[in-house]
């Protein structure tokens, strides 16, 4: 089903939730920053951006210097400025929050500063003098882009492998459109390329029958390179391949027409082909994480009449951030707590979602809907790692040492495939630490980057 | 309600707030609007031989989000015909008999010229005259303004000339562009001045345009130094006023000028010995309307302090000002942090560490939060941490000595 709303209305619905600051706003807000010493915001940022330093540079109109401080510690600083859960990180730690109940708008200031760089495509850093060594980076999401940036700055020849047509991973395909458009992610990818990093898109890395991050259906859409052949051209390999397909509900009716993965749904929206995107009139989204919120809020923005969030536990148990939940409430989403889906009903097409109440009553009830979206987390890529001989823990996460090396020599990893699924900013830090680990392993020399804790 | 009426060297004003001689007192319609807004008095923009001004006259410095904390100008005295000004002064005084109307004067250094302009201003109905010996730019290049105020002998001489014909009180306005304000002040007293006003503006180059590399304000590619005023100059003015208030030879009242924006600023000038105050930059920034809170705030302050008349406030802090050699060397304070109010910005730590005496350590508590801890044995009580702390009432300077046996450097060195 296609949206009944006009293109203009949908564009309006998807207007940026945190628009760019005006010069006046940036000036005022940057001057509000107290310039804390050993600042709580910097400590709270997983990449430890020197937040007071970049904000003071905005106050002095040194925007290039400001962007440099940001990108020095976080190569995807433009993305993070828009998608970071700042309420839980830097802004949550801001002393102005304690003093005035109104933290400095760090995220929006970061965007203001980074816009000056992403807009013109010229990186604030340069590639290091070639050191004759090469690193292959699998996956072009936050972790891979970060690792590639630092490795290029150190003088490595870096080749990135991306199974999809566009680089950027979840930055490009997985962010709610009202938070960040695809253009920003691609601008940031171009910054990485400007350091001489080569990105091979439509290229999957496979080990036997298993492709890294590939669902079987994608296999004929891209060329394949054998994992074992990577060491013919690379001295080390970084794996930033994220997580796999959306988890299965494992209930009857899951294959009916009208049942979708949340990630797939979000990815369609990134095209901004508003009337080419499938959206139901009555949409049931299963799950209560941040991805579920992205799905319900965007289904609503696309024009779905009724959007529901179905969660097996209570309101207090949801994993979405408070401000995300608030956004869903503001958007008029209906919530079904303590509701476990047990069957998707329909004759070929979805007609209802049957649930059991978990409140002790075990009551069975049906929710009429014509679209079901699954937002119940992603699978780990255990079988891929098994097939290349890399150890994973009991939860399927890649095991890495302090230098971010996996259990296989000169193969490093970071991001969701190691941490099980966190924020882009966490992946960015992981890429930084892995680049340092790779350099140390290959050259025996230590190196440190901004916010690496060294 | 306290009595705000002031008698300044014989000039009665309904309140101590006068507009200084400057653009806000350029013409009759402006002064009348100011009186309507509540200003007690106004010093008419300096009369003299009409001049020609340049275009692009003002420039300012901002601090953070605060605009115009310091203002620089290269505007000269009135550019309006003398007869027009005099006619408007006459009409204004007739219409506002209860407000103080003072006329600022500046002519070349000739006795007849001064006699003539003094008589004209008096005839127009001026309640008092203010001799502009302070303007530091433009006019000073022609031997007027600060050029007179910087030479005590000239100050005395011209004051004497004026007093020869003056029938109303004569206020001498001093320039701060001198090494010691006492000399020109004493010269004015010697010349027979009835009162002093200070400070006029300070010599200044306010800044440089980083694109064109021409200093501000740019007059077709060139710039000249100007006169600096506004909130940033208040401490300099307070010092000079308090110096004169403590000078036994200065027996005449002082009109305090320099960066007054709020009633608190005004109260500070009054406490340090000014008998009234003059305001300009704040009005140029926000308009005549600011006088409402100047009056209201001062009134409430006086009521709160149980002071019935503004004249009772004048000079109250003067005995509290002394020379360094008379300060108690045994007085000892230290900083104490109220942790319930600390927001962990650590500014006290870094300020003390890099800018003072390394006596505030950062200590991690059990929750992993970092707190500043004062080493009271090392703390010299310098106040820096207290000054940088953004959290209200978080750092307090606490007295540690028992108050006995004060001793001064003067006492020690005379032993």
């Amino acid at each position: 089903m296609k949206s009944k709303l006009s293109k203009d209305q949908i564009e309006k619905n998807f207007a940026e939730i945190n628009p760019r600051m005006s010069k006046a706003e940036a000036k005022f807000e940057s001057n509000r920053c107290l310039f804390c010493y050993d600042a709580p915001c910097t400590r709270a940022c997983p990449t430890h951006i020197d937040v007071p330093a970049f904000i003071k540079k905005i106050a002095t109109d040194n925007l290039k210097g400001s962007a440099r401080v940001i990108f020095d510690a976080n190569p995807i600083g433009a993305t993070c400025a828009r998608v970071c859960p700042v309420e839980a990180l830097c802004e949550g730690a801001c002393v102005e929050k304690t003093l005035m109940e109104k933290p400095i708008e760090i995220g929006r200031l970061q965007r203001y500063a980074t816009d000056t760089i992403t807009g013109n495509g010229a990186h604030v850093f340069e590639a290091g003098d070639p050191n004759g060594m090469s690193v292959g980076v699998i996956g072009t999401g936050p972790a891979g882009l970060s690792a590639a940036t630092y490795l290029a700055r150190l003088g490595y020849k870096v080749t990135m492998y991306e199974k999809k047509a566009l680089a950027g991973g979840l930055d490009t395909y997985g962010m709610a459109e009202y938070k960040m458009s695809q253009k920003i992610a691609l601008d940031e990818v171009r910054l990485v390329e400007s350091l001489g990093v080569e990105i091979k898109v439509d290229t999957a890395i496979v080990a036997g029958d298993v492709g890294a991050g590939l669902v079987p259906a994608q296999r004929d859409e891209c060329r394949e390179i054998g994992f074992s052949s990577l060491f013919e051209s690379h001295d080390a390999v970084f794996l930033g391949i994220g997580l796999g397909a959306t988890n299965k509900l494992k209930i009857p009716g899951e294959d009916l027409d009208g049942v979708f993965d949340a990630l797939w749904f979000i990815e369609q929206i990134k095209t901004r082909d508003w009337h080419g995107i499938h959206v139901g009139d009555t949409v049931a989204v299963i799950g209560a994480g941040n991805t579920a919120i992205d799905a319900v809020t965007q289904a609503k923005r696309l024009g779905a009449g009724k959007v529901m969030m179905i969660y097996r536990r209570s309101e207090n148990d949801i994993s979405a951030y408070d401000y995300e939940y608030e956004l869903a409430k503001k958007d008029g989403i209906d919530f079904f707590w303590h509701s476990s889906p047990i069957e998707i009903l329909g004759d070929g097409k979805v007609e209802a979602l049957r649930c059991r109440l978990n409140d002790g009553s075990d009551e069975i009830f049906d929710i009429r809907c014509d679209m079901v979206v699954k937002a119940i987390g992603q699978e780990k890529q255990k079988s891929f790692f098994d097939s290349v001989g890399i150890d994973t823990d009991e939860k399927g996460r890649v095991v890495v040492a302090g230098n971010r090396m996996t259990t296989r020599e000169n193969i490093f990893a970071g991001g969701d495939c190691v941490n099980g699924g966190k924020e882009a900013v966490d992946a960015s830090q992981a890429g930084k630490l892995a680049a340092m680990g790779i350099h140390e392993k290959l050259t025996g020399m230590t190196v440190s980057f901004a916010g690496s804790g060294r | 309600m306290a009595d705000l009426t002031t008698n300044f060297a014989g000039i009665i004003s309904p309140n101590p707030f006068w507009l200084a001689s400057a653009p806000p007192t350029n013409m009759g319609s402006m002064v009348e609007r100011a009186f309507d807004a509540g200003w007690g008095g106004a010093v008419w923009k300096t009369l003299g031989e009409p001049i020609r001004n340049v275009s692009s006259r003002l420039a300012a410095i901002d601090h953070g989000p605060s605009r115009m904390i310091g203002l620089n100008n290269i505007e000269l005295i009135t550019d309006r015909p003398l007869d027009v000004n005099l006619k408007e002064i006459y009409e204004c005084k007739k219409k506002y008999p209860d407000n103080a109307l003072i006329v600022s004067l500046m002519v070349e250094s000739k006795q007849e010229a001064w006699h003539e302009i003094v008589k004209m201003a008096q005839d127009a109905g001026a309640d008092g005259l203010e001799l502009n010996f302070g303007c530091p730019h433009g006019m000073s290049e022609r031997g007027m303004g600060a050029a007179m105020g910087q030479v005590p002998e000239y100050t005395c001489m011209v004051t004497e000339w004026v007093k020869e014909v003056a029938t109303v009180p004569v206020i001498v306005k001093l320039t701060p562009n001198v090494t010691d304000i006492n000399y020109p002040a004493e010269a004015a007293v010697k010349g027979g001045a009835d009162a002093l006003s200070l400070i006029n503006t300070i010599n200044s180059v306010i800044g440089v345009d980083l694109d064109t590399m021409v200093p501000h304000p740019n007059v077709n590619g060139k710039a000249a130094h100007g006169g600096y005023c506004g909130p940033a100059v208040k401490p300099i003015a307070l010092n000079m006023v308090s110096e004169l208030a403590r000078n036994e030879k200065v027996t005449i009242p002082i009109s305090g000028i320099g960066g007054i924006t709020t009633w608190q600023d005004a109260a500070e000038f009054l406490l340090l010995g000014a008998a009234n105050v003059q305001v300009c930059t704040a009005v140029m920034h926000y308009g005549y309307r600011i006088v409402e809170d100047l009056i209201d705030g001062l009134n409430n302050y006086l009521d709160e302090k149980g002071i019935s008349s503004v004249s009772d406030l004048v000079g109250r802090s003067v005995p509290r000002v002394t020379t360094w050699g008379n300060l108690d060397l045994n007085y000892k304070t230290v900083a104490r942090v109220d942790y319930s109010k600390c927001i962990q910005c650590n500014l006290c730590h870094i300020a003390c560490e890099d800018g003072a005496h390394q006596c505030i350590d950062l200590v991690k508590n059990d929750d992993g939060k970092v707190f500043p801890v004062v080493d009271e044995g090392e703390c010299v009580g310098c106040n820096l941490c207290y000054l940088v702390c953004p959290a209200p009432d978080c750092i307090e300077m606490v007295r540690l000595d028992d108050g006995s046996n004060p001793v001064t450097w003067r006492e020690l060195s005379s032993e």
Side-chain angles (χ1 to χ4, degrees):
Chain A
M1 202 192 285
K2 306 303 169 203
S3 177
K4 295 186 191 88
L5 301 180
S6 71
K7 180 170 175 291
D8 284 354
Q9 183 60 50
I10 301 176
E11 288 281 355
K12 212 177 278 179
N13 291 352
F14 278 87
E16 282 184 293
I17 202 160
N18 282 313
R20 178 179 163 81
M21 276 181 171
S22 67
K23 189 176 180 183
E25 268 184 294
K27 182 119 192 146
F28 180 85
E29 195 65 6
S30 58
N31 274 301
R32 212 161 65 82
C33 172
L34 292 176
F35 205 40
C36 294
Y37 176 76
D38 187 14
C41 49
T42 293
R43 273 185 264 130
C45 173
T47 62
H48 306 303
I49 294 174
D50 189 341
V51 175
F54 93 70
I55 290 180
K56 279 300 149 197
K57 284 173 189 287
I58 293 174
T60 67
D61 261 338
N62 179 4
L63 293 186
K64 190 178 175 191
S66 179
R68 192 183 162 93
V69 169
I70 295 161
F71 284 119
D72 197 16
N74 184 354
I76 54 160
T79 294
C80 289
R82 292 163 171 84
V83 304
C84 258
V86 288
E87 287 83 346
L89 299 173
C90 52
E91 291 182 17
C94 177
V95 300
E96 282 288 336
K97 191 179 175 190
T98 321
L99 198 61
M100 312 264 288
E101 292 287 327
K102 190 177 177 301
I104 306 295
E105 290 192 67
I106 299 169
R108 290 183 71 208
L109 284 170
Q110 182 167 324
R111 170 185 171 169
Y112 186 79
T114 53
D115 273 358
T116 59
I117 299 304
T118 49
N120 66 24
H123 211 298
V124 280
F125 292 100
E126 291 174 357
D129 293 334
N131 66 5
M133 285 186 278
S134 171
V135 179
V137 173
I138 309 175
T140 61
L145 290 173
S146 171
T149 299
Y150 291 110
L151 289 166
R153 285 172 59 182
L154 288 169
Y156 289 88
K157 183 181 185 314
V158 182
T159 307
M160 303 187 79
Y161 302 95
E162 171 56 54
K163 65 180 191 290
K164 292 202 166 187
L166 296 174
L170 286 178
D171 290 0
T172 298
Y173 290 107
M175 301 304 177
E177 188 65 13
Y178 54 80
K179 289 181 191 162
M180 180 175 115
S181 74
Q182 203 169 57
K183 182 185 176 300
I184 299 302
L186 296 177
D187 282 348
E188 218 157 40
V189 168
R190 260 192 295 282
L191 284 184
V192 180
E193 287 179 304
S194 75
L195 297 174
V197 171
E198 185 191 1
I199 302 181
K200 290 182 191 287
V201 294
D202 289 323
T203 305
I205 302 300
V206 295
D209 290 341
V210 199
L214 274 187
V215 288
Q218 290 176 312
R219 292 205 59 170
D220 48 6
E221 291 171 11
C222 51
R223 68 177 156 269
E224 295 180 356
I225 293 179
F227 184 81
S228 53
S229 70
L230 287 175
F231 278 93
E232 291 166 15
S233 44
H234 301 303
D235 299 283
V237 167
F238 174 77
L239 293 167
I241 62 173
L243 301 172
T246 297
N247 284 319
K248 296 251 181 314
L249 283 166
K250 293 174 187 156
I251 58 172
E254 194 164 358
D255 298 326
L256 285 172
D257 199 7
V259 181
F260 301 95
D261 283 356
L263 286 178
W264 183 88
F265 176 57
I266 291 164
E267 189 174 324
Q268 299 310 300
I269 294 165
K270 301 305 289 183
T271 63
R272 296 184 83 98
D273 172 20
W274 303 123
H275 291 101
I277 303 163
H278 181 97
V279 62
D281 186 48
T282 312
V283 182
V285 174
I286 303 168
N290 296 311
T291 303
I293 303 278
D294 286 350
V296 293
T297 53
Q298 296 196 100
K300 195 79 183 178
R301 279 168 173 71
L302 276 173
K306 186 177 169 74
V307 180
M308 298 158 285
M309 212 160 120
I310 320 296
Y311 186 47
R312 64 198 158 91
R313 295 167 71 187
S314 79
E315 184 178 6
N316 298 325
D317 299 314
I318 64 171
S319 58
Y321 292 111
D322 286 346
Y323 70 92
E324 294 276 17
Y325 177 40
E326 287 304 315
L327 182 64
K329 284 199 279 193
K330 220 172 86 187
D331 281 355
I333 307 304
D334 294 322
F335 300 93
F336 289 77
W337 309 117
H338 301 291
S339 304
S340 287
I342 52 171
E343 188 176 354
I344 302 170
L345 307 173
D347 182 11
K349 284 199 300 199
V350 172
E351 284 165 22
L353 178 67
R354 177 161 292 174
C355 295
R356 180 193 295 116
L357 263 183
N358 283 332
D359 60 356
S361 69
D362 278 346
E363 188 191 321
I364 307 289
F365 65 100
D366 292 345
I367 300 168
R368 307 293 311 171
C369 57
D370 54 12
M371 180 175 178
V372 170
V373 178
K374 298 183 285 183
I376 51 170
Q378 292 167 264
E379 292 170 353
K380 308 293 189 303
Q381 304 196 58
K382 188 175 183 327
S383 57
F384 174 78
F385 294 114
D386 284 348
S387 66
V388 295
I390 289 172
D391 287 359
T392 52
D393 67 8
E394 72 287 351
K395 289 181 173 167
R397 300 174 299 194
V398 175
V399 175
V400 294
N403 66 354
R404 270 54 186 180
M405 193 166 83
T406 67
T407 48
R408 268 193 67 179
E409 185 75 358
N410 289 350
I411 298 179
F412 294 73
D416 282 358
C417 67
V418 172
N419 65 33
K422 283 185 167 179
E423 302 299 332
V425 67
D426 295 295
S428 180
Q429 180 71 351
K432 180 199 300 175
L433 297 176
M436 288 162 54
I438 289 168
H439 186 65
E440 210 166 310
K441 180 71 172 48
L442 294 183
T443 66
M445 289 186 289
T446 56
V447 63
S448 79
F449 289 107
S452 64
R454 277 199 193 153
Chain B
M1 286 282 281
D3 179 12
L4 293 190
T5 313
T6 54
N7 178 343
F8 183 81
I11 306 167
I12 310 294
S13 168
N15 62 54
F17 301 109
W18 289 5
L19 284 172
S21 168
T25 58
N26 194 44
M27 61 176 91
S29 63
M30 295 177 80
V31 173
E32 289 178 13
R33 279 196 289 121
F35 287 160
D36 286 341
W39 289 91
V43 185
W44 204 278
K45 186 168 165 88
T46 306
L47 305 189
E49 192 66 32
I51 51 75
R52 210 176 135 188
N53 267 309
V54 292
S55 177
S56 183
R57 304 174 195 179
L58 305 174
I61 58 169
D62 305 335
H63 185 73
S66 297
R67 296 285 274 167
M68 223 166 91
I69 65 152
L71 178 68
N72 166 89
N73 88 88
I74 55 170
E75 184 171 295
L76 304 183
I77 63 171
T78 188
D79 54 8
R80 309 171 76 228
L82 192 56
D83 59 333
V84 174
N85 272 313
L86 291 169
K87 182 167 171 279
E88 289 178 7
I89 289 166
Y90 174 77
E91 284 164 359
C92 181
K93 186 60 215 177
K94 212 165 67 177
K95 207 163 157 192
Y96 295 86
D98 297 332
N99 291 80
L101 188 56
I102 290 80
V103 176
S104 173
L105 303 174
M106 180 199 290
V107 288
E108 58 185 323
S109 188
K110 281 187 186 154
Q111 194 176 17
E112 316 81 67
W114 279 99
H115 280 178
E116 196 182 343
I117 194 116
V118 165
K119 285 177 193 161
M120 284 193 284
Q122 285 174 173
D123 290 348
D127 294 316
L129 308 172
E130 188 180 77
L131 313 187
N132 182 343
F133 294 167
C135 180
H137 51 83
M139 302 311 290
S140 54
E141 294 172 21
R142 308 174 195 184
M144 292 181 263
M148 286 183 187
Q150 284 167 332
V151 183
E153 291 75 15
Y154 289 173
T155 303
C156 178
M157 177 181 73
V158 177
T159 307
E160 281 172 353
W161 291 346
V162 169
K163 286 295 288 181
E164 285 163 7
V165 293
T167 57
V168 293
V170 175
I171 306 163
V172 172
K173 186 166 181 179
L174 301 177
T175 174
N177 300 305
V178 292
T179 41
D180 188 338
I181 196 68
N182 290 291
Y183 293 106
E186 288 168 16
V189 173
K190 193 175 157 207
D194 299 293
L196 299 171
S197 60
L198 73 163
I199 59 174
N200 206 309
T201 56
I202 304 170
N203 282 333
S204 62
V205 171
I206 200 99
V208 182
D209 183 313
L210 293 181
D211 290 323
T212 63
M213 302 188 186
V214 178
H216 305 290
N218 179 336
V219 182
N220 197 15
K222 290 242 166 74
H225 87 270
Y228 190 43
C229 57
V233 310
K234 188 184 94 175
I236 296 165
L238 282 178
N239 174 54
M240 289 187 169
V241 166
S242 74
E243 274 196 71
L244 297 188
R246 284 157 54 222
N247 183 332
E248 286 171 2
K249 293 180 196 156
V250 177
T251 50
I252 53 179
I254 300 164
S255 184
I257 312 169
I260 295 161
T261 308
T262 65
W263 64 266
Q264 289 104 324
D265 297 332
E268 289 172 286
F269 273 89
L270 297 171
L271 284 165
L272 285 172
N276 77 359
V277 294
Q278 297 184 30
V279 178
C280 167
T281 312
V283 167
M284 290 180 72
H285 198 156
Y286 303 110
Y288 300 125
R289 61 197 168 128
I290 63 162
V291 74
E292 190 277 331
D293 192 58
L294 290 175
I295 294 170
D296 186 43
L298 185 65
N299 233 321
N300 290 337
Y301 169 72
L302 291 172
D303 287 351
E304 225 168 80
K305 290 284 175 192
I307 299 171
S308 59
S309 157
V310 70
S311 52
D312 288 346
L313 190 68
V314 174
R316 280 208 184 195
S317 297
V318 174
R320 296 292 188 169
V321 186
T322 182
T323 49
W324 196 95
N326 291 326
L327 298 176
D328 179 7
L329 294 169
N330 284 343
Y331 178 69
K332 162 89 175 156
T333 62
V334 297
R336 289 243 171 96
V337 181
D338 179 345
Y339 293 110
S340 71
K341 291 173 177 142
C342 176
I343 59 170
Q344 286 102 46
C345 69
N346 305 328
L347 288 174
C348 56
H349 160 77
I350 196 62
C352 186
E353 194 71 8
D354 292 358
H357 300 273
Q358 301 81 49
C359 43
I360 302 182
D361 296 323
L362 290 183
V363 177
K364 206 175 252 186
N365 74 358
D366 294 342
D367 303 335
K369 277 192 172 175
V370 174
F371 285 92
V373 176
V374 180
D375 180 345
E376 292 189 357
E378 290 294 312
C379 177
V380 302
C382 77
N383 292 351
L384 181 61
C385 57
Y386 167 83
L387 296 174
V388 299
C389 178
D393 307 322
C394 177
I395 294 182
E396 188 187 359
M397 300 306 296
V398 183
R399 185 168 185 176
L400 277 196
D401 68 283
D402 61 7
S404 59
N405 307 319
V407 65
T408 69
W409 172 81
R410 190 151 296 182
E411 287 163 352
L412 285 181
S413 58
S414 65
E415 274 170 11

